[in-house]
Amino acid sequence: AYHGQGKTMQLVYRRFGDTISNTVQMFPRSNNNNSTLVTIRGLDANTHYIYEIRVDFKVVAIGQVKTAPAFKEGKFEYLLTSCMDIDEYKGYPEQPVWKHVLDKNPDFAILAGDTIYLTEQDWTLDTREVIYDRVWYRNMKQRSEPHFAKVIGSVPTYAAWDDHEY
């Protein structure tokens, strides 16, 4: 979550259908543009969880995630993808292909980079420094695409950054 120093930040999560929630405090890291990193242990395999991100005790994001299946020997199905561009002018503002991905019911997904593409609007002209609010905007725009949002909300997803995300 990108909100800055001095804010109280929390991740509140629970298993889908449960009424009892767990709360994890998140601390902005000034050396990483005030982003946070949280490790949650003890989640059940192959289980849907609902979560909220709170800043100063106000809900700023709601989502859901499904954890990876328990390890088992044998066959599994996965998605490996990259090079997404939701840009409305030269990219793919609508991405219905993700519905077909869900129909395949993969065990997990790997986003291998280039989930967004930065443009000249995303850095300063004089010093060529990245404008992090623009990067945040582009990532949130991709995650808001309805078909993609369903995938990352229901399939365990692992992502890496490549040369176009930063």
Side-chain angles (χ1 to χ4, degrees):
Y2 174 75
H3 284 282
Q5 290 287 33
K7 303 279 186 176
T8 300
M9 300 174 68
Q10 299 171 313
L11 169 68
V12 179
Y13 67 96
R14 62 182 168 83
R15 275 191 297 265
F16 187 79
D18 284 0
T19 56
I20 299 174
S21 297
N22 299 293
T23 301
V24 177
Q25 298 298 320
M26 300 189 301
F27 302 97
R29 302 174 301 164
S30 60
N31 61 335
N32 283 22
N33 201 38
N34 296 321
S35 64
T36 66
L37 179 64
V38 176
T39 301
I40 301 173
R41 301 194 190 288
L43 299 177
D44 295 326
N46 203 34
T47 302
H48 279 93
Y49 287 85
I50 296 179
Y51 67 88
E52 297 176 347
I53 304 292
R54 297 178 182 174
V55 176
D56 287 339
F57 306 101
K58 178 182 174 192
V59 175
V60 297
I62 298 173
Q64 60 178 316
V65 65
K66 181 181 176 187
T67 54
F71 176 76
K72 62 181 184 230
E73 291 190 34
K75 183 179 174 185
F76 57 88
E77 303 284 334
Y78 71 96
L79 163 71
L80 175 63
T81 186
S82 68
C83 303
M84 296 172 268
D85 191 2
I86 196 154
D87 186 275
E88 57 269 8
Y89 301 109
K90 59 183 178 181
Y92 305 94
E94 296 178 16
Q95 301 173 353
V97 69
W98 297 113
K99 182 186 178 325
H100 301 289
V101 168
L102 278 178
D103 291 344
K104 299 291 184 185
N105 197 25
D107 291 309
F108 62 91
I110 299 173
L111 308 181
D114 296 342
T115 55
I116 61 166
Y117 286 84
L118 300 183
T119 69
E120 62 279 352
Q121 299 172 347
D122 302 318
W123 52 78
T124 61
L125 295 177
D126 53 347
T127 61
R128 307 291 291 168
E129 292 181 50
V130 171
I131 302 169
Y132 289 102
D133 287 341
R134 292 287 305 163
V135 175
W136 183 257
Y137 165 79
R138 289 200 182 282
N139 276 286
M140 294 310 293
K141 190 170 183 182
Q142 175 64 48
R143 290 172 179 230
S144 300
E145 196 285 329
H147 303 91
F148 182 69
K150 286 181 183 175
V151 171
I152 62 174
S154 59
V155 177
T157 303
Y158 307 93
W161 279 12
D162 196 4
D163 60 338
H164 290 104
E165 282 91 359
Y166 58 92

